[in-house]
Amino acid sequence: MPIEVLEGESIPEGVPALLAAAHVLVLGYHEVPEQTATEQASEQYEGRATERLNEFAKMFEDAGATVETRLVFTHERQQTINRVILETDSRAVLVPGSVSAVEDVLVAVGGTVSLDRIAEVVGGLFGGGSARITLYHATGGEESNRSVSELLDALEDQLLEAGVGSHQIQTLVEQRDRPLAAIESAAEDYDVVVMGETDPSVATFVFGMPHDQVASQFLGPVLVVQRPPPEPDSDKTQR
Protein backbone atom coordinates (compact mmCIF):
# COMPACT_ATOMS: atom_id res chain seq x y z
CA MET A 1 0.00 0.00 0.00
CA PRO A 2 1.66 3.25 -1.12
CA ILE A 3 1.05 6.28 1.08
CA GLU A 4 2.41 9.83 1.04
CA VAL A 5 3.75 10.07 4.58
CA LEU A 6 4.38 13.81 4.79
CA GLU A 7 1.36 15.27 3.03
CA GLY A 8 -1.39 14.51 5.52
CA GLU A 9 -2.53 11.30 3.80
CA SER A 10 -4.12 8.83 6.21
CA ILE A 11 -5.37 5.26 6.31
CA PRO A 12 -9.12 5.29 5.51
CA GLU A 13 -11.59 3.69 7.88
CA GLY A 14 -11.85 -0.07 7.56
CA VAL A 15 -8.70 -0.59 5.48
CA PRO A 16 -6.64 -2.28 8.25
CA ALA A 17 -9.50 -4.73 8.89
CA LEU A 18 -9.80 -5.38 5.15
CA LEU A 19 -6.13 -6.42 5.00
CA ALA A 20 -6.06 -8.23 8.34
CA ALA A 21 -5.25 -11.58 6.68
CA ALA A 22 -2.60 -10.14 4.36
CA HIS A 23 1.13 -9.56 4.37
CA VAL A 24 1.13 -5.78 3.95
CA LEU A 25 4.00 -3.70 2.63
CA VAL A 26 3.35 -0.08 3.61
CA LEU A 27 5.37 1.96 1.13
CA GLY A 28 5.85 5.40 2.61
CA TYR A 29 7.02 7.86 0.00
CA HIS A 30 7.70 11.55 -0.30
CA GLU A 31 8.01 13.10 -3.73
CA VAL A 32 10.61 15.86 -3.87
CA PRO A 33 11.22 18.51 -6.54
CA GLU A 34 13.57 17.58 -9.35
CA GLN A 35 16.13 20.17 -8.24
CA THR A 36 16.27 18.70 -4.70
CA ALA A 37 18.52 15.71 -4.10
CA THR A 38 16.71 12.75 -2.54
CA GLU A 39 19.60 12.37 -0.08
CA GLN A 40 19.03 15.96 1.09
CA ALA A 41 15.31 15.32 1.57
CA SER A 42 16.07 12.14 3.48
CA GLU A 43 18.40 13.98 5.89
CA GLN A 44 15.76 16.64 6.47
CA TYR A 45 12.59 14.58 6.75
CA GLU A 46 13.51 10.96 7.50
CA GLY A 47 12.86 11.14 11.25
CA ARG A 48 9.36 12.59 10.91
CA ALA A 49 8.52 10.34 7.96
CA THR A 50 9.67 7.21 9.79
CA GLU A 51 7.60 8.10 12.84
CA ARG A 52 4.51 8.56 10.70
CA LEU A 53 5.17 5.36 8.76
CA ASN A 54 5.47 3.38 11.98
CA GLU A 55 2.10 4.75 13.09
CA PHE A 56 0.53 3.42 9.90
CA ALA A 57 2.23 0.05 10.32
CA LYS A 58 0.88 -0.32 13.85
CA MET A 59 -2.68 0.18 12.58
CA PHE A 60 -2.29 -2.86 10.33
CA GLU A 61 -0.49 -4.89 13.02
CA ASP A 62 -3.27 -4.17 15.50
CA ALA A 63 -5.77 -5.50 12.95
CA GLY A 64 -3.81 -8.76 12.69
CA ALA A 65 -1.82 -8.25 9.48
CA THR A 66 1.83 -9.12 8.97
CA VAL A 67 3.51 -5.82 8.15
CA GLU A 68 6.73 -4.53 6.71
CA THR A 69 7.59 -0.96 5.82
CA ARG A 70 9.73 0.83 3.29
CA LEU A 71 10.47 4.55 3.14
CA VAL A 72 11.58 6.26 -0.07
CA PHE A 73 12.26 9.81 -1.20
CA THR A 74 11.75 10.07 -4.91
CA HIS A 75 11.47 12.37 -7.91
CA GLU A 76 9.04 10.01 -9.69
CA ARG A 77 6.26 8.64 -7.50
CA GLN A 78 4.72 6.15 -9.92
CA GLN A 79 8.06 4.96 -11.22
CA THR A 80 9.16 4.20 -7.66
CA ILE A 81 5.90 2.39 -6.84
CA ASN A 82 6.24 0.28 -10.00
CA ARG A 83 9.84 -0.60 -9.11
CA VAL A 84 8.91 -1.74 -5.60
CA ILE A 85 6.02 -3.82 -6.96
CA LEU A 86 8.45 -5.67 -9.23
CA GLU A 87 11.14 -6.03 -6.55
CA THR A 88 8.73 -7.54 -4.04
CA ASP A 89 6.50 -9.39 -6.53
CA SER A 90 3.50 -7.80 -4.83
CA ARG A 91 0.28 -9.65 -5.60
CA ALA A 92 -1.94 -6.56 -5.36
CA VAL A 93 -1.79 -2.84 -4.78
CA LEU A 94 -4.48 -1.09 -2.78
CA VAL A 95 -6.08 2.12 -3.98
CA PRO A 96 -7.44 3.08 -0.56
CA GLY A 97 -10.98 4.09 0.25
CA SER A 98 -13.10 3.86 3.37
CA VAL A 99 -15.26 0.83 4.09
CA SER A 100 -17.33 0.13 7.19
CA ALA A 101 -17.78 -3.61 6.72
CA VAL A 102 -16.92 -6.01 3.93
CA GLU A 103 -20.04 -7.92 3.05
CA ASP A 104 -20.06 -7.78 -0.76
CA VAL A 105 -16.96 -7.99 -2.98
CA LEU A 106 -17.01 -7.30 -6.71
CA VAL A 107 -14.34 -9.16 -8.67
CA ALA A 108 -14.10 -7.70 -12.16
CA VAL A 109 -12.86 -10.53 -14.37
CA GLY A 110 -10.97 -9.61 -17.51
CA GLY A 111 -7.78 -7.88 -18.58
CA THR A 112 -4.37 -9.51 -18.71
CA VAL A 113 -3.92 -10.82 -15.17
CA SER A 114 -3.92 -14.60 -14.78
CA LEU A 115 -6.80 -16.16 -12.88
CA ASP A 116 -4.50 -17.83 -10.36
CA ARG A 117 -3.22 -14.43 -9.17
CA ILE A 118 -6.78 -13.17 -8.73
CA ALA A 119 -7.76 -16.36 -6.88
CA GLU A 120 -4.72 -16.05 -4.61
CA VAL A 121 -5.62 -12.49 -3.60
CA VAL A 122 -9.37 -13.07 -3.19
CA GLY A 123 -8.91 -16.40 -1.43
CA GLY A 124 -6.25 -15.01 0.89
CA LEU A 125 -8.38 -12.08 1.99
CA PHE A 126 -11.92 -13.47 1.96
CA GLY A 127 -11.66 -17.26 1.96
CA GLY A 128 -13.48 -18.90 4.82
CA GLY A 129 -15.31 -15.72 5.71
CA SER A 130 -18.85 -14.54 5.21
CA ALA A 131 -18.29 -11.98 2.44
CA ARG A 132 -20.29 -12.57 -0.73
CA ILE A 133 -18.04 -12.60 -3.79
CA THR A 134 -19.47 -11.71 -7.18
CA LEU A 135 -17.44 -12.68 -10.24
CA TYR A 136 -18.37 -9.97 -12.71
CA HIS A 137 -17.73 -9.79 -16.44
CA ALA A 138 -18.96 -7.11 -18.81
CA THR A 139 -18.93 -8.16 -22.43
CA GLY A 140 -19.34 -5.97 -25.47
CA GLY A 141 -20.89 -8.81 -27.42
CA GLU A 142 -17.74 -10.01 -29.18
CA GLU A 143 -17.37 -12.97 -26.80
CA SER A 144 -19.41 -16.13 -26.93
CA ASN A 145 -21.51 -17.16 -23.95
CA ARG A 146 -19.48 -20.34 -23.79
CA SER A 147 -16.12 -18.56 -23.53
CA VAL A 148 -17.41 -16.24 -20.79
CA SER A 149 -18.88 -19.17 -18.88
CA GLU A 150 -15.61 -21.10 -19.15
CA LEU A 151 -13.67 -18.07 -17.87
CA LEU A 152 -15.86 -17.60 -14.81
CA ASP A 153 -16.06 -21.34 -14.10
CA ALA A 154 -12.27 -21.58 -14.21
CA LEU A 155 -11.92 -18.74 -11.70
CA GLU A 156 -14.59 -20.23 -9.45
CA ASP A 157 -12.70 -23.55 -9.41
CA GLN A 158 -9.49 -21.78 -8.40
CA LEU A 159 -11.28 -19.80 -5.69
CA LEU A 160 -12.65 -23.02 -4.23
CA GLU A 161 -9.11 -24.42 -4.16
CA ALA A 162 -7.96 -21.19 -2.46
CA GLY A 163 -10.37 -21.70 0.42
CA VAL A 164 -13.40 -19.68 -0.69
CA GLY A 165 -16.68 -21.43 0.11
CA SER A 166 -19.04 -22.26 -2.73
CA HIS A 167 -21.80 -20.46 -0.80
CA GLN A 168 -19.77 -17.24 -1.04
CA ILE A 169 -19.52 -17.19 -4.83
CA GLN A 170 -21.97 -15.94 -7.44
CA THR A 171 -21.50 -14.76 -11.00
CA LEU A 172 -22.87 -11.81 -12.95
CA VAL A 173 -22.48 -11.19 -16.67
CA GLU A 174 -23.74 -8.03 -18.35
CA GLN A 175 -23.91 -7.07 -22.00
CA ARG A 176 -22.46 -3.57 -22.06
CA ASP A 177 -20.83 -1.45 -24.76
CA ARG A 178 -18.38 0.13 -22.31
CA PRO A 179 -17.00 -2.48 -19.88
CA LEU A 180 -15.16 0.06 -17.71
CA ALA A 181 -18.29 2.17 -17.25
CA ALA A 182 -20.15 -1.06 -16.46
CA ILE A 183 -17.69 -1.87 -13.66
CA GLU A 184 -18.06 1.65 -12.26
CA SER A 185 -21.83 1.31 -12.27
CA ALA A 186 -21.86 -2.19 -10.77
CA ALA A 187 -19.44 -1.17 -8.01
CA GLU A 188 -22.07 1.04 -6.41
CA ASP A 189 -23.65 -2.03 -4.83
CA TYR A 190 -20.42 -3.41 -3.33
CA ASP A 191 -18.01 -2.67 -0.50
CA VAL A 192 -14.74 -3.61 -2.23
CA VAL A 193 -13.67 -3.94 -5.86
CA VAL A 194 -10.98 -6.36 -7.03
CA MET A 195 -9.69 -5.96 -10.58
CA GLY A 196 -6.59 -6.84 -12.55
CA GLU A 197 -4.10 -4.30 -13.80
CA THR A 198 -4.22 -3.51 -17.50
CA ASP A 199 -1.64 -2.59 -20.10
CA PRO A 200 -1.18 1.15 -20.67
CA SER A 201 -2.81 2.49 -23.84
CA VAL A 202 -3.27 5.84 -25.50
CA ALA A 203 -6.51 6.27 -23.54
CA THR A 204 -4.75 5.80 -20.20
CA PHE A 205 -2.56 8.82 -20.87
CA VAL A 206 -5.72 10.89 -21.28
CA PHE A 207 -8.11 9.39 -18.73
CA GLY A 208 -5.73 7.54 -16.38
CA MET A 209 -5.46 3.82 -15.67
CA PRO A 210 -8.78 1.94 -15.50
CA HIS A 211 -8.41 1.14 -11.79
CA ASP A 212 -7.85 4.84 -11.05
CA GLN A 213 -10.98 5.71 -13.00
CA VAL A 214 -12.99 3.12 -11.08
CA ALA A 215 -11.53 4.26 -7.75
CA SER A 216 -12.40 7.90 -8.44
CA GLN A 217 -16.06 6.96 -8.96
CA PHE A 218 -16.37 4.15 -6.43
CA LEU A 219 -14.63 5.85 -3.45
CA GLY A 220 -14.24 2.52 -1.62
CA PRO A 221 -11.13 0.31 -1.61
CA VAL A 222 -9.93 -1.03 -4.96
CA LEU A 223 -7.48 -3.92 -4.96
CA VAL A 224 -5.48 -4.02 -8.19
CA VAL A 225 -4.10 -7.51 -8.80
CA GLN A 226 -0.68 -7.33 -10.43
CA ARG A 227 0.81 -9.39 -13.20
CA PRO A 228 3.86 -11.47 -12.19
CA PRO A 229 7.29 -9.92 -12.87
CA PRO A 230 8.63 -10.62 -16.36
CA GLU A 231 10.78 -13.69 -16.73
CA PRO A 232 14.50 -12.88 -16.94
CA ASP A 233 15.95 -12.99 -20.42
CA SER A 234 17.60 -16.40 -20.61
CA ASP A 235 20.17 -15.20 -23.17
CA LYS A 236 21.28 -12.36 -20.88
CA THR A 237 21.42 -14.50 -17.74
CA GLN A 238 23.73 -16.98 -19.50
CA ARG A 239 26.25 -14.29 -20.40
Side-chain angles (χ1 to χ4, degrees):
M1 177 177 171
I3 188 163
E4 173 43 286
V5 288
L6 295 177
E7 294 296 330
E9 190 172 0
S10 61
I11 306 293
E13 177 189 1
V15 166
L18 169 66
L19 301 181
H23 182 118
V24 181
L25 169 60
V26 184
L27 174 62
Y29 69 89
H30 181 62
E31 194 166 16
V32 300
E34 192 64 40
Q35 63 271 20
T36 302
T38 55
E39 294 81 2
Q40 178 184 344
S42 177
E43 291 176 3
Q44 184 174 359
Y45 300 117
E46 183 174 7
R48 183 157 61 94
T50 299
E51 181 179 353
R52 188 71 172 134
L53 184 58
N54 289 338
E55 291 175 2
F56 292 143
K58 188 175 186 305
M59 295 173 67
F60 288 102
E61 289 172 348
D62 289 346
T66 302
V67 185
E68 63 177 292
T69 61
R70 186 178 298 195
L71 177 64
V72 294
F73 294 87
T74 178
H75 296 302
E76 295 288 345
R77 167 189 175 275
Q78 192 58 54
Q79 187 178 82
T80 297
I81 292 172
N82 292 343
R83 174 176 56 79
V84 173
I85 290 171
L86 289 175
E87 288 176 357
T88 59
D89 189 16
S90 295
R91 295 301 193 267
V93 175
L94 180 70
V95 182
S98 61
V99 57
S100 56
V102 179
E103 297 178 347
D104 291 285
V105 179
L106 181 71
V107 181
V109 185
T112 59
V113 176
S114 58
L115 298 183
D116 60 331
R117 304 272 293 194
I118 296 174
E120 183 179 359
V121 171
V122 174
L125 291 178
F126 309 113
S130 59
R132 295 178 291 270
I133 299 168
T134 299
L135 309 184
Y136 178 79
H137 186 77
T139 175
E142 68 280 359
E143 301 170 280
S144 69
N145 292 337
R146 179 177 179 180
S147 64
V148 172
S149 178
E150 289 175 348
L151 175 71
L152 297 180
D153 287 346
L155 178 54
E156 182 172 354
D157 289 342
Q158 295 202 33
L159 287 172
L160 294 175
E161 292 180 4
V164 178
S166 58
H167 64 283
Q168 293 181 260
I169 304 172
Q170 60 184 6
T171 61
L172 176 61
V173 179
E174 291 188 317
Q175 198 85 12
R176 300 287 291 270
D177 293 332
R178 298 171 56 221
L180 184 57
I183 295 172
E184 294 173 358
S185 177
E188 296 177 0
D189 297 324
Y190 294 85
D191 303 305
V192 179
V193 172
V194 180
M195 60 189 299
E197 68 168 330
T198 55
D199 293 319
S201 65
V202 174
T204 64
F205 290 102
V206 178
F207 302 107
M209 294 298 287
H211 56 262
D212 289 325
Q213 296 181 56
V214 171
S216 67
Q217 297 296 319
F218 172 55
L219 302 180
V222 178
L223 279 157
V224 187
V225 182
Q226 304 294 297
R227 291 186 296 269
E231 293 291 335
D233 191 313
S234 58
D235 292 335
K236 291 182 180 178
T237 55
Q238 292 173 3
R239 293 173 186 169

